[in-house]
Amino acid sequence: MTHVAATIGIPHATLYTVRAGRTRLITRRNSDAILGYRDPCTVTPIGLARRLRALARLSYRAADIAAAVGCSRASIDQLRAGYLGRKPPSHAADVVAFYESVTRLSTGPQSTRVRNYAERQGWAPPAAWDDDTIDDPTATPHGIRHTQSRTRAGIDEVLDLLDAGTSPLNIAERLGVRPASIARRLRRHGHHHLAHRFETI
């Protein structure tokens, strides 16, 4: 219960008395905080990925989110890319809390590159998801049309990963393709100097 109280930002004693039924009155703020809390055990990995992708549509960089929730950027990158485990990570509740707090704002920290990348990927913004179904693997976002070129989007992901310092070998493993295939795609889009890095693995 201590972790829950810290997560939603109310005193432990307040949460304890509410849970024990020892109070008849509660402030609106505390009521909203308690009712808005989502147990991380009920948060699905795909729900976390959707939230992180939605944050990208609001211009939030992986580094911004990692700093806010107290985890590594690599962890955020992996979740957002869809590398999901069987259960949510330990910082799942913090990701959800951050998502719910910032989606009340109109924009993020104005990283145009992140927002453009998210749009090319076809990632849904927060408004496209219902809070009740975002963790449902069978749910689909509202009003999203997938019109981007998959090849172009794949190249953009490679470029972003290279900029982030990811090695060519790790990029190939993450995308599940051979380095030579990435090299060919890069050359088709004019990135000959980068293609060479994948050809020498």
Side-chain angles (χ1 to χ4, degrees):
M1 190 181 299
T2 301
H3 172 74
V4 174
T7 300
I8 62 180
I10 68 174
H12 174 268
T14 300
L15 185 60
Y16 181 81
T17 55
V18 170
R19 182 179 179 183
R22 297 178 182 173
T23 182
R24 293 184 178 182
L25 297 175
I26 185 173
T27 66
R28 179 63 179 270
R29 176 189 174 279
N30 288 346
S31 174
D32 290 344
I34 293 171
L35 293 175
Y37 174 74
R38 188 182 296 269
D39 187 336
C41 292
T42 68
V43 176
T44 63
I46 188 63
L48 285 179
R50 288 168 176 170
R51 288 177 176 88
L52 291 170
R53 292 170 181 178
L55 288 172
R57 285 295 300 267
L58 292 183
S59 306
Y60 281 90
R61 301 176 304 159
D64 299 324
I65 303 169
V69 304
C71 68
S72 69
R73 172 180 171 167
S75 177
I76 297 299
D77 281 334
Q78 288 179 345
L79 284 171
R80 195 172 65 181
Y83 289 88
L84 311 171
R86 295 191 176 185
K87 62 180 182 178
S90 59
H91 51 271
D94 295 320
V95 171
V96 173
F98 180 74
Y99 171 83
E100 292 180 349
S101 67
V102 303
T103 50
R104 298 187 184 98
L105 306 175
S106 58
T107 60
Q110 295 302 313
S111 174
T112 303
R113 179 175 182 179
V114 172
R115 184 175 65 251
N116 290 343
Y117 174 72
E119 290 176 354
R120 289 193 299 268
Q121 294 293 318
W123 291 347
W129 293 109
D130 293 328
D131 291 341
D132 294 336
T133 59
I134 192 170
D135 289 293
D136 182 354
T138 65
T140 56
H142 307 294
I144 299 298
R145 286 197 264 177
H146 300 282
T147 57
Q148 88 266 15
S149 164
R150 291 183 64 84
T151 301
R152 179 69 253 178
I155 291 300
D156 289 336
E157 185 171 3
V158 170
L159 297 178
D160 281 347
L161 289 170
L162 285 172
D163 284 347
T166 308
S167 72
L169 181 59
N170 285 340
I171 291 173
E173 292 175 348
R174 175 177 291 194
L175 299 180
V177 297
R178 293 182 298 112
S181 296
I182 297 177
R184 286 194 295 272
R185 294 178 191 176
L186 286 169
R187 288 196 180 279
R188 283 198 294 268
H189 287 82
H191 301 289
H192 303 291
H193 63 296
L194 296 177
H196 180 69
R197 295 178 59 182
F198 289 87
E199 292 168 339
T200 56
I201 296 177

